[in-house]
Amino acid sequence: MPMNDVQDNGRVVIVGAGPVGLWLACELRLAGTPAVVLEGNRTPTRHSKALGLHPRTVEVLAMRGAEEPFLAEGMRVPAWHFGMLPHRLDFRALDTAFPFMLAIPQTRTEALLSQRAAGLGVEIHRGHTVTALSQNSEAVTLEVHGPDGTYLDTASYVVGCDGAGSTVRKASGIDFPGSDAHYHGFLGDVTLDRPPAQPGTTYHTEQGALVVAPIPGGRFRVTGFDPAHQEPDAELTMAELRAVTERVTGTDFGMRDPVWLSRFGNATRVASTYRAGRVLVAGDAAHMHFPAGGVGLNVGIQDAMNLGWKLAACLQGRAGDDLLDSYHLERHPVGTALSELTLAQTELITTTSAEGMALRAWLSDTIARQPAFSRALAVRLTALDVAYPPASPGAHPLTGARFPDMAEYLYDGRAALLNFGDRPLAETARRAAASGVRLQHAAPPAADGWSEVGAIMLRPDGHVWWAGDRGAGLDAKAAAAIADARVRF
């Protein structure tokens, strides 16, 4: 018998219970907005596509005081590869409290986020597959097939976090332009009796490319590119995995007992818009690419961080519709830059020509010899360089920039105004109390560009909403900034 149809327009339905959907649900509940997650799979997946969290993603978790369980389980990797080049990018030089790639399998990331979601009161319905949707000016109606039959679910907004093949994106009419796959990689999660001495070892020869990385359970992920086998529909076998490993490295490392064998392609697409009326997309539903550098999951969680507080503010009447429009305006360029970055890395990984090998050697040597170049690539790879354009001309140069030291200022998801001076801001305090903005004294960051700043207002996602330099009139300017903000907290 079908479930009773659900009529609840004061909430958001999120389709997909991966890391992106779960973090978005947590953000909505933190802001007091009902959130329901529909997931087609009846149980969480046993396999991890992604194996790590980059520094900006750990910062996102830390903004909400949620990072400790991840830090306790993950392994801190101080350097990470770019395009599988021999010399790695040194994350220790980055301006962040988390200068490392945190190696943690996606299955554990999802489990920890599920625990947080449950603690915040998020409803997660597994075995519920969205098959169609329609919308009008007031709501979105979903057709859902669940364990007890088909039913209709109505919500104020729907967010598709349902992967590259997103039903939500397709049903809402959002185009997904880009290129089809013409390279295909492989991966196998296996036991190695004679693993490489160095974790995360990469290999690249005329025979192909390969990386060997440890994963939980005493196993290893062997993944890479084999130019001799580019059949996307052919099942990857253990014999093929062993053969390419031997050709590239000279050994099979005592490979045995596979638990997952798979292929993947380099199809690269970015949604034409991240919003179609009351339907939005995030994560792989908004951007797909070759898994070079492990950036996809990270950018997806950062999509959710940008969207959550905006969606809650609009739904609760604390902001106008233009704030929700800014989700596409801010995150679509990030998705485009992500696609370009992964295309460049894909070319480095898949090249086996003499010219390509020479380019790899030159880039790797430049990374080793030029710390500034290495740092610039690391900042780009980890999304620490993401800054959003200011909403008005003439804004302070730091407007939209990532604030490098969140500390405890954003735990509850509200905006915060930080006073870097030793004088109280009386008018600002009155305005902050009326608007729900937290006002705190703080020490300014030691990074370049901050020495003259007297006060800033932080968005809930850790980017600068407003900044004012020290000097006369700072109190009035800061108070006006709160009054002019598009959201009341």
Side-chain angles (χ1 to χ4, degrees), residues 250-270:
T251 177
D252 69 356
F253 301 109
M255 185 184 300
R256 59 181 173 84
D257 300 336
V259 295
W260 187 29
L261 299 173
S262 182
R263 298 188 197 273
F264 51 87
N266 75 318
T268 303
R269 301 182 180 277
V270 181

PDB file of all heavy atoms in Angstrom, residues 250-270:
ATOM      1  N   GLY A 250      56.632  -3.044 -12.151  1.00  0.00           N
ATOM      2  CA  GLY A 250      57.559  -4.168 -12.131  1.00  0.00           C
ATOM      3  C   GLY A 250      57.209  -5.235 -11.120  1.00  0.00           C
ATOM      4  O   GLY A 250      57.907  -6.238 -11.015  1.00  0.00           O
ATOM      5  N   THR A 251      56.113  -5.040 -10.365  1.00  0.00           N
ATOM      6  CA  THR A 251      55.679  -6.020  -9.371  1.00  0.00           C
ATOM      7  C   THR A 251      54.181  -5.904  -9.178  1.00  0.00           C
ATOM      8  O   THR A 251      53.580  -4.871  -9.504  1.00  0.00           O
ATOM      9  CB  THR A 251      56.389  -5.799  -8.025  1.00  0.00           C
ATOM     10  OG1 THR A 251      55.882  -6.752  -7.066  1.00  0.00           O
ATOM     11  CG2 THR A 251      56.133  -4.394  -7.496  1.00  0.00           C
ATOM     12  N   ASP A 252      53.564  -6.972  -8.630  1.00  0.00           N
ATOM     13  CA  ASP A 252      52.140  -6.869  -8.303  1.00  0.00           C
ATOM     14  C   ASP A 252      51.926  -6.682  -6.803  1.00  0.00           C
ATOM     15  O   ASP A 252      50.799  -6.681  -6.327  1.00  0.00           O
ATOM     16  CB  ASP A 252      51.368  -8.086  -8.806  1.00  0.00           C
ATOM     17  CG  ASP A 252      51.716  -9.370  -8.039  1.00  0.00           C
ATOM     18  OD1 ASP A 252      52.618  -9.334  -7.164  1.00  0.00           O
ATOM     19  OD2 ASP A 252      51.084 -10.399  -8.311  1.00  0.00           O
ATOM     20  N   PHE A 253      53.023  -6.506  -6.063  1.00  0.00           N
ATOM     21  CA  PHE A 253      52.992  -6.244  -4.610  1.00  0.00           C
ATOM     22  C   PHE A 253      52.313  -7.364  -3.814  1.00  0.00           C
ATOM     23  O   PHE A 253      51.848  -7.149  -2.705  1.00  0.00           O
ATOM     24  CB  PHE A 253      52.279  -4.921  -4.299  1.00  0.00           C
ATOM     25  CG  PHE A 253      52.907  -3.725  -4.940  1.00  0.00           C
ATOM     26  CD1 PHE A 253      52.277  -3.069  -5.994  1.00  0.00           C
ATOM     27  CD2 PHE A 253      54.134  -3.251  -4.509  1.00  0.00           C
ATOM     28  CE1 PHE A 253      52.858  -1.962  -6.598  1.00  0.00           C
ATOM     29  CE2 PHE A 253      54.725  -2.142  -5.105  1.00  0.00           C
ATOM     30  CZ  PHE A 253      54.089  -1.506  -6.151  1.00  0.00           C
ATOM     31  N   GLY A 254      52.224  -8.558  -4.382  1.00  0.00           N
ATOM     32  CA  GLY A 254      51.536  -9.638  -3.687  1.00  0.00           C
ATOM     33  C   GLY A 254      50.045  -9.383  -3.591  1.00  0.00           C
ATOM     34  O   GLY A 254      49.412  -9.667  -2.573  1.00  0.00           O
ATOM     35  N   MET A 255      49.471  -8.922  -4.669  1.00  0.00           N
ATOM     36  CA  MET A 255      48.072  -8.503  -4.701  1.00  0.00           C
ATOM     37  C   MET A 255      47.120  -9.695  -4.616  1.00  0.00           C
ATOM     38  O   MET A 255      47.293 -10.701  -5.290  1.00  0.00           O
ATOM     39  CB  MET A 255      47.839  -7.733  -6.009  1.00  0.00           C
ATOM     40  CG  MET A 255      46.478  -7.117  -6.175  1.00  0.00           C
ATOM     41  SD  MET A 255      46.334  -6.361  -7.829  1.00  0.00           S
ATOM     42  CE  MET A 255      47.673  -5.156  -7.777  1.00  0.00           C
ATOM     43  N   ARG A 256      46.077  -9.557  -3.766  1.00  0.00           N
ATOM     44  CA  ARG A 256      45.086 -10.626  -3.633  1.00  0.00           C
ATOM     45  C   ARG A 256      43.805 -10.094  -2.976  1.00  0.00           C
ATOM     46  O   ARG A 256      43.757  -8.961  -2.516  1.00  0.00           O
ATOM     47  CB  ARG A 256      45.645 -11.782  -2.787  1.00  0.00           C
ATOM     48  CG  ARG A 256      46.056 -11.385  -1.373  1.00  0.00           C
ATOM     49  CD  ARG A 256      46.627 -12.566  -0.605  1.00  0.00           C
ATOM     50  NE  ARG A 256      47.182 -12.185   0.678  1.00  0.00           N
ATOM     51  CZ  ARG A 256      46.479 -12.048   1.803  1.00  0.00           C
ATOM     52  NH1 ARG A 256      45.154 -12.275   1.794  1.00  0.00           N
ATOM     53  NH2 ARG A 256      47.070 -11.714   2.941  1.00  0.00           N
ATOM     54  N   ASP A 257      42.798 -10.929  -2.942  1.00  0.00           N
ATOM     55  CA  ASP A 257      41.549 -10.706  -2.213  1.00  0.00           C
ATOM     56  C   ASP A 257      40.917  -9.343  -2.479  1.00  0.00           C
ATOM     57  O   ASP A 257      40.766  -8.501  -1.589  1.00  0.00           O
ATOM     58  CB  ASP A 257      41.790 -10.859  -0.701  1.00  0.00           C
ATOM     59  CG  ASP A 257      42.288 -12.237  -0.325  1.00  0.00           C
ATOM     60  OD1 ASP A 257      42.027 -13.179  -1.092  1.00  0.00           O
ATOM     61  OD2 ASP A 257      42.957 -12.369   0.722  1.00  0.00           O
ATOM     62  N   PRO A 258      40.476  -9.072  -3.715  1.00  0.00           N
ATOM     63  CA  PRO A 258      39.825  -7.796  -4.006  1.00  0.00           C
ATOM     64  C   PRO A 258      38.454  -7.687  -3.338  1.00  0.00           C
ATOM     65  O   PRO A 258      37.706  -8.666  -3.267  1.00  0.00           O
ATOM     66  CB  PRO A 258      39.687  -7.813  -5.532  1.00  0.00           C
ATOM     67  CG  PRO A 258      39.597  -9.271  -5.869  1.00  0.00           C
ATOM     68  CD  PRO A 258      40.508  -9.967  -4.891  1.00  0.00           C
ATOM     69  N   VAL A 259      38.125  -6.508  -2.853  1.00  0.00           N
ATOM     70  CA  VAL A 259      36.786  -6.259  -2.302  1.00  0.00           C
ATOM     71  C   VAL A 259      36.005  -5.292  -3.184  1.00  0.00           C
ATOM     72  O   VAL A 259      34.789  -5.173  -3.041  1.00  0.00           O
ATOM     73  CB  VAL A 259      36.870  -5.713  -0.865  1.00  0.00           C
ATOM     74  CG1 VAL A 259      37.470  -6.750   0.063  1.00  0.00           C
ATOM     75  CG2 VAL A 259      37.654  -4.416  -0.797  1.00  0.00           C
ATOM     76  N   TRP A 260      36.706  -4.590  -4.090  1.00  0.00           N
ATOM     77  CA  TRP A 260      36.014  -3.696  -5.020  1.00  0.00           C
ATOM     78  C   TRP A 260      36.916  -3.459  -6.222  1.00  0.00           C
ATOM     79  O   TRP A 260      38.085  -3.095  -6.069  1.00  0.00           O
ATOM     80  CB  TRP A 260      35.684  -2.367  -4.344  1.00  0.00           C
ATOM     81  CG  TRP A 260      34.821  -1.445  -5.169  1.00  0.00           C
ATOM     82  CD1 TRP A 260      33.899  -1.797  -6.103  1.00  0.00           C
ATOM     83  CD2 TRP A 260      34.798  -0.009  -5.113  1.00  0.00           C
ATOM     84  NE1 TRP A 260      33.293  -0.677  -6.638  1.00  0.00           N
ATOM     85  CE2 TRP A 260      33.821   0.436  -6.046  1.00  0.00           C
ATOM     86  CE3 TRP A 260      35.512   0.939  -4.361  1.00  0.00           C
ATOM     87  CZ2 TRP A 260      33.543   1.782  -6.238  1.00  0.00           C
ATOM     88  CZ3 TRP A 260      35.228   2.281  -4.559  1.00  0.00           C
ATOM     89  CH2 TRP A 260      34.248   2.689  -5.486  1.00  0.00           C
ATOM     90  N   LEU A 261      36.379  -3.694  -7.411  1.00  0.00           N
ATOM     91  CA  LEU A 261      37.075  -3.424  -8.670  1.00  0.00           C
ATOM     92  C   LEU A 261      36.153  -2.567  -9.520  1.00  0.00           C
ATOM     93  O   LEU A 261      34.968  -2.897  -9.693  1.00  0.00           O
ATOM     94  CB  LEU A 261      37.411  -4.721  -9.403  1.00  0.00           C
ATOM     95  CG  LEU A 261      38.332  -5.716  -8.684  1.00  0.00           C
ATOM     96  CD1 LEU A 261      38.427  -7.020  -9.475  1.00  0.00           C
ATOM     97  CD2 LEU A 261      39.720  -5.122  -8.483  1.00  0.00           C
ATOM     98  N   SER A 262      36.662  -1.467 -10.082  1.00  0.00           N
ATOM     99  CA  SER A 262      35.785  -0.559 -10.812  1.00  0.00           C
ATOM    100  C   SER A 262      36.567   0.243 -11.852  1.00  0.00           C
ATOM    101  O   SER A 262      37.801   0.352 -11.771  1.00  0.00           O
ATOM    102  CB  SER A 262      35.093   0.393  -9.833  1.00  0.00           C
ATOM    103  OG  SER A 262      34.198   1.257 -10.491  1.00  0.00           O
ATOM    104  N   ARG A 263      35.827   0.802 -12.808  1.00  0.00           N
ATOM    105  CA  ARG A 263      36.383   1.738 -13.783  1.00  0.00           C
ATOM    106  C   ARG A 263      35.660   3.080 -13.627  1.00  0.00           C
ATOM    107  O   ARG A 263      34.540   3.148 -13.132  1.00  0.00           O
ATOM    108  CB  ARG A 263      36.194   1.235 -15.214  1.00  0.00           C
ATOM    109  CG  ARG A 263      36.891  -0.076 -15.539  1.00  0.00           C
ATOM    110  CD  ARG A 263      36.779  -0.359 -17.033  1.00  0.00           C
ATOM    111  NE  ARG A 263      37.072  -1.740 -17.345  1.00  0.00           N
ATOM    112  CZ  ARG A 263      38.284  -2.219 -17.585  1.00  0.00           C
ATOM    113  NH1 ARG A 263      39.330  -1.410 -17.522  1.00  0.00           N
ATOM    114  NH2 ARG A 263      38.460  -3.498 -17.867  1.00  0.00           N
ATOM    115  N   PHE A 264      36.305   4.143 -14.106  1.00  0.00           N
ATOM    116  CA  PHE A 264      35.687   5.473 -14.091  1.00  0.00           C
ATOM    117  C   PHE A 264      36.240   6.267 -15.265  1.00  0.00           C
ATOM    118  O   PHE A 264      37.339   6.010 -15.749  1.00  0.00           O
ATOM    119  CB  PHE A 264      35.954   6.192 -12.769  1.00  0.00           C
ATOM    120  CG  PHE A 264      37.407   6.223 -12.362  1.00  0.00           C
ATOM    121  CD1 PHE A 264      38.250   7.234 -12.808  1.00  0.00           C
ATOM    122  CD2 PHE A 264      37.938   5.229 -11.543  1.00  0.00           C
ATOM    123  CE1 PHE A 264      39.589   7.264 -12.439  1.00  0.00           C
ATOM    124  CE2 PHE A 264      39.278   5.255 -11.165  1.00  0.00           C
ATOM    125  CZ  PHE A 264      40.107   6.273 -11.627  1.00  0.00           C
ATOM    126  N   GLY A 265      35.471   7.237 -15.728  1.00  0.00           N
ATOM    127  CA  GLY A 265      35.855   8.026 -16.890  1.00  0.00           C
ATOM    128  C   GLY A 265      36.117   9.475 -16.551  1.00  0.00           C
ATOM    129  O   GLY A 265      35.965   9.906 -15.401  1.00  0.00           O
ATOM    130  N   ASN A 266      36.504  10.241 -17.564  1.00  0.00           N
ATOM    131  CA  ASN A 266      36.821  11.645 -17.349  1.00  0.00           C
ATOM    132  C   ASN A 266      35.767  12.573 -17.946  1.00  0.00           C
ATOM    133  O   ASN A 266      36.059  13.721 -18.298  1.00  0.00           O
ATOM    134  CB  ASN A 266      38.199  11.996 -17.928  1.00  0.00           C
ATOM    135  CG  ASN A 266      38.198  12.096 -19.438  1.00  0.00           C
ATOM    136  OD1 ASN A 266      37.571  11.264 -20.110  1.00  0.00           O
ATOM    137  ND2 ASN A 266      38.887  13.083 -19.989  1.00  0.00           N
ATOM    138  N   ALA A 267      34.531  12.099 -18.068  1.00  0.00           N
ATOM    139  CA  ALA A 267      33.449  12.995 -18.485  1.00  0.00           C
ATOM    140  C   ALA A 267      33.450  14.212 -17.559  1.00  0.00           C
ATOM    141  O   ALA A 267      33.517  14.066 -16.335  1.00  0.00           O
ATOM    142  CB  ALA A 267      32.105  12.275 -18.419  1.00  0.00           C
ATOM    143  N   THR A 268      33.393  15.388 -18.145  1.00  0.00           N
ATOM    144  CA  THR A 268      33.515  16.624 -17.373  1.00  0.00           C
ATOM    145  C   THR A 268      32.355  17.545 -17.733  1.00  0.00           C
ATOM    146  O   THR A 268      32.233  17.977 -18.892  1.00  0.00           O
ATOM    147  CB  THR A 268      34.855  17.319 -17.671  1.00  0.00           C
ATOM    148  OG1 THR A 268      35.929  16.398 -17.382  1.00  0.00           O
ATOM    149  CG2 THR A 268      35.032  18.560 -16.830  1.00  0.00           C
ATOM    150  N   ARG A 269      31.527  17.843 -16.758  1.00  0.00           N
ATOM    151  CA  ARG A 269      30.337  18.659 -16.993  1.00  0.00           C
ATOM    152  C   ARG A 269      30.065  19.557 -15.795  1.00  0.00           C
ATOM    153  O   ARG A 269      30.350  19.189 -14.652  1.00  0.00           O
ATOM    154  CB  ARG A 269      29.114  17.771 -17.261  1.00  0.00           C
ATOM    155  CG  ARG A 269      29.279  16.846 -18.466  1.00  0.00           C
ATOM    156  CD  ARG A 269      28.029  16.024 -18.736  1.00  0.00           C
ATOM    157  NE  ARG A 269      28.221  15.158 -19.904  1.00  0.00           N
ATOM    158  CZ  ARG A 269      28.068  15.570 -21.153  1.00  0.00           C
ATOM    159  NH1 ARG A 269      27.689  16.831 -21.388  1.00  0.00           N
ATOM    160  NH2 ARG A 269      28.276  14.749 -22.164  1.00  0.00           N
ATOM    161  N   VAL A 270      29.484  20.710 -16.070  1.00  0.00           N
ATOM    162  CA  VAL A 270      29.051  21.637 -15.024  1.00  0.00           C
ATOM    163  C   VAL A 270      27.632  22.083 -15.352  1.00  0.00           C
ATOM    164  O   VAL A 270      27.353  22.476 -16.492  1.00  0.00           O
ATOM    165  CB  VAL A 270      29.981  22.864 -14.926  1.00  0.00           C
ATOM    166  CG1 VAL A 270      29.512  23.810 -13.810  1.00  0.00           C
ATOM    167  CG2 VAL A 270      31.424  22.434 -14.678  1.00  0.00           C
TER     168      VAL A 270
END
